[in-house]
């Protein structure tokens, strides 16, 4: 999908990459925030207390352990991806919002990291609509950033370079995700102490 929403691809369909990418970002952030708000509202029904922080710590440690091991490749997930046929049927802003919303929801497409599940469950542990919405919005914004590497793809050669960069980025991006999970764990520990 990332390699399909490029300036080159959008131009070939008669659309503006900026409009499609902006719609994608709006869809991802809005859906993340709405889902997070719903999770926070549901989580607010549970009693308050330090147990939430302890549960968040356990959740993050479990996510890090899964993502740092071979278990990452065995995460429960759907096999569904966004429908690329929409690109031929709808305007760029329509499929931009729809694709962004699906990625901002987190779990309606293929899940490749336990951090996705940790973010969704984290909205429940937040225990409030506002905190859940904030977690969801940050999650959605992070997903929206996935289009940034495609912003310079204006010709077929650049598309080939993007594919090579993405193939080579899997390991470094995986290490960065592990570092982010470790940093989140550290923050929770500091909050507990």
């Amino acid at each position: 999908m990332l390699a399909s929403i490029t300036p080159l691809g959008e131009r070939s369909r008669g659309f503006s990459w900026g409009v499609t990418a902006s719609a994608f970002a709006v869809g991802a952030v809005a859906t993340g925030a709405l889902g997070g708000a719903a999770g926070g509202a549901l989580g607010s029904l549970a009693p308050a207390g330090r147990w939430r922080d302890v549960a968040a710590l356990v959740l993050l440690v479990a996510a890090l352990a899964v993502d740092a091991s071979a278990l990452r490749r065995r995460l429960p997930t759907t096999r569904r991806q966004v429908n690329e046929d929409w690109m031929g049927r709808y305007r760029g802003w329509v499929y931009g919002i729809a694709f962004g919303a699906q990625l901002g929801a987190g779990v309606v497409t293929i899940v490749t990291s336990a951090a996705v599940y940790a973010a969704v469950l984290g909205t429940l542990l937040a225990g409030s609509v506002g905190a859940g919405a904030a977690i969801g919005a940050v999650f959605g914004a992070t997903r929206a950033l996935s289009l940034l590497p495609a912003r310079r793809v204006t010709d077929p050669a650049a598309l080939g370079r993007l594919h090579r960069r993405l193939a080579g980025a899997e390991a470094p991006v995986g290490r960065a995700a592990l570092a982010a999970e470790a940093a989140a764990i550290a923050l929770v520990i500091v909050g507990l102490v």
Side-chain angles (χ1 to χ4, degrees), residues 32-45 123-137:
L34 287 171
L42 187 60
S44 72
L45 301 174
T123 66
L124 291 166
L125 292 173
S128 76
V129 171
I135 292 168

Side-chain angles (χ1 to χ4, degrees), residues 61-75 112-114 174 178 181:
V61 168
L64 178 61
V66 168
D67 285 343
S69 72
L71 291 174
R72 180 176 167 263
R73 303 229 185 269
R74 301 189 67 186
L75 283 170
T112 60
S113 171
L178 293 175
E181 287 173 316

Side-chain angles (χ1 to χ4, degrees), residues 8 18 136 157:
L8 175 66

